[in-house]
Amino acid sequence: MKKVSRVVVFLMAISLFHSTECYADNPIVQTNYTADPAPTVYNGTCYLYTTHDEDTIVNNFYTMNDWRCYSSTDMQNWTDHGSPLSYKTFSWAQGDAWAGQVINRNGKFYFYGPMTRKNAGGARVIGVAVSDSPTGPFTDPLGKPLITNNGAQDIDPTVFIDDNGQAYLYWGNGNLYYVKLNQDMISYSGGIVQVSPKPANYVEGPWFYKRNNLYYMVYAGMTGGSENISYATSNSPTGPWTSKGTIMGSQNSYTNHPGVTDYKGNSYLFYHTGNLPGGGSYHRSVGLEQFKYNADGTIPSIPITKNGPGQLGNLDPYVKTEAETICWESGVETEKCSEGGMDVCNIENGDWIKVKGVDFGSGAASFEARVASATNGGNIELRLDSETGKLVGTCAVSNTGGWQNWITKSCNVSGATGVHDLYFKFTGGSGYLFNFNWWKFTGTGITPGQTSAFSQIEAESYNTQSGIQTESCSEGGENVGYIENGDYAVYKNIDFGNGAESFQARVASSSSGGNIEIRLDSLTGPLAGTCPVAGTGGWQTWADAMCSVSGVSGKHDLYLKFTGGSGYLFNLNWFKFTGGSVNTGDLKEDGSVNEQTMP
Ligand code: FUB
């Protein structure tokens, strides 16, 4: 969605929701105007495909070039996957990327969508595209439309595979049509059938599915000059259809459009309204409501709410989360990220992101953010429960040399325990401040005394760090990498009990290595030992490096300070201390490492 003045957003939000809760959770996407929702569940995640109303409306009509994809595992925080395809995916299409749907068959994802055809007088047709991933990219396997029937009416395909493997494609504006798709999902057998009689007040936007042996056709019907959502049922996939009435009206939009799915044992209706600031019939936004089928399988009337459904479980802040996983935001946008996926961009002073229902458990100690900036940067304020709520940390971001030059910044956190809505409030000077790719908190650790120096400690479980990054490790999980001279990692509250005598580190290096200085309680604190790390022949060729330590017992904050020459020194997967003496590799006792234990 194009940035509008924050004052305008505020006033519009107040007038829209007539409530002090201006920042409600419907519509579920605020960075774009989205319409025509099409959900599908795959591998435990709910994927939502939408159409996209462009910010700039041309000829006072639907201005739509691409489809978008979002996903959620809690139905409140939605991750933006960008655009998996557009009308330009189809060489024969000239525009009008209208309501589509994606279905998974045999590990492939098939998208069906209407477009206007080039050199065909504006005729609408339906194309099919295929991908190996729910988030695309999709390609056109036919190089031509799949459905060309009645130029004005061939829109809004809905697809369903019955228990016997027969797939059906229904579609149509004004009239409802279907074909039986072949197993390949990109061709059909038999003719195009027009449904007669069509369901009562049928206009467009059909959504076809089956539940408990009953077939449902949910669709956009018409009453009182704007579209409602109505439905019909049948005992057969090809009808006849019994009209069951209207389940939802419309709000601030001429059209409405259903997408129905079950997810984690609940039933959901996706729809669209004109309820974002700047919204209307050509600036629509997808909303979401949970509902319960009546005992006889009928669908109750479903009101449009501002809060949407309940959150399905809390979000874990201690795993890496995409910055574009958003419940609500103010002012930011998203774009393709050079590190894959999307990042949050166009961040200006005062903008913010809300992430709902974050469980900090017994407490967070530090925060990491993957950021990039071509300007002077700014700050990420970490606040609880509102954008002006309790400040639990501030992460300063400086210039990184480019909008896609990514670094990981970390900062201390205190006072974040239990479940809260987490707000990232962005502050700084004027203009765009920085881009934001992902974030992660680190906990205060287990109860003091439980982090034993003698257990294997993952290098990436640090509380704070300087200069390093995490990456995926060939031995599983993650390792710390990109270590340069002077970088360090801090592990709080490590219990050395009655005393440690040796240190063992799992390391890999494609260069000549460096040293790990083992220091207590500060970066310049007592030096308990220095562990030399030699080259191992590769950044993922792992070996054990060892050294003796002395003068360390009881509980300390452990500082691992990395020293060496220029460039990247080595990677660190894990480390641990032992109570006995070790072979340090200095077999000749000449002060240098003559051998390290290889894997
Ligand atoms: O979004 C463009 C068209 O408007 C869709 O294809 C219809 O269902 C209606 O929502």
Side-chain angles (χ1 to χ4, degrees), residues 63-238:
T63 307
M64 304 167 70
N65 297 327
D66 62 359
W67 293 272
R68 315 290 297 192
C69 179
Y70 304 87
S71 73
S72 180
T73 54
D74 65 12
M75 300 312 240
Q76 277 287 340
N77 296 304
W78 289 88
T79 302
D80 188 335
H81 297 285
S83 172
L85 77 170
S86 77
Y87 77 83
K88 290 182 181 158
T89 304
F90 304 88
S91 58
W92 43 264
Q94 70 173 30
D96 301 309
W98 285 13
Q101 188 179 344
V102 170
I103 198 165
N104 170 26
R105 183 165 211 170
N106 299 330
K108 290 213 179 292
F109 297 84
Y110 295 90
F111 166 88
Y112 303 86
M115 285 149 276
T116 44
R117 192 177 192 175
K118 278 180 186 162
N119 309 318
R124 299 188 193 282
V125 294
I126 293 172
V128 59
V130 64
S131 174
D132 293 327
S133 155
T135 54
F138 285 81
T139 54
D140 175 3
L142 296 179
K144 61 178 184 181
L146 173 67
I147 303 287
T148 55
N149 178 40
N150 176 336
Q153 299 190 340
D154 296 338
I155 67 167
D156 295 0
T158 177
V159 59
F160 168 71
I161 304 171
D162 209 346
D163 300 335
N164 63 4
Q166 177 61 59
Y168 297 86
L169 190 77
Y170 273 88
W171 74 92
N173 172 290
N175 281 305
L176 183 60
Y177 303 90
Y178 74 86
V179 289
K180 290 183 176 179
L181 291 171
N182 294 330
Q183 291 268 337
D184 66 9
M185 300 298 277
I186 60 170
S187 62
Y188 58 89
S189 295
I192 293 172
V193 182
Q194 181 177 334
V195 174
S196 184
K198 61 186 175 187
N201 299 317
Y202 176 85
V203 179
E204 59 185 357
W207 185 265
F208 180 38
Y209 66 100
K210 183 184 188 178
R211 178 180 180 270
N212 293 344
N213 287 324
L214 190 62
Y215 296 86
Y216 290 76
M217 189 67 69
V218 188
Y219 56 91
M222 179 63 72
T223 37
S226 62
E227 289 182 355
N228 58 44
I229 293 181
S230 299
Y231 79 108
T233 59
S234 175
N235 292 320
S236 149
T238 54

Side-chain angles (χ1 to χ4, degrees), residues 36 51 62 64 98-99 155-156 204-205 255-257 272 284:
D36 305 317
T51 55
Y62 302 101
M64 304 167 70
W98 285 13
I155 67 167
D156 295 0
E204 59 185 357
T255 62
N256 201 343
H257 191 111
H272 66 228
R284 299 161 295 175

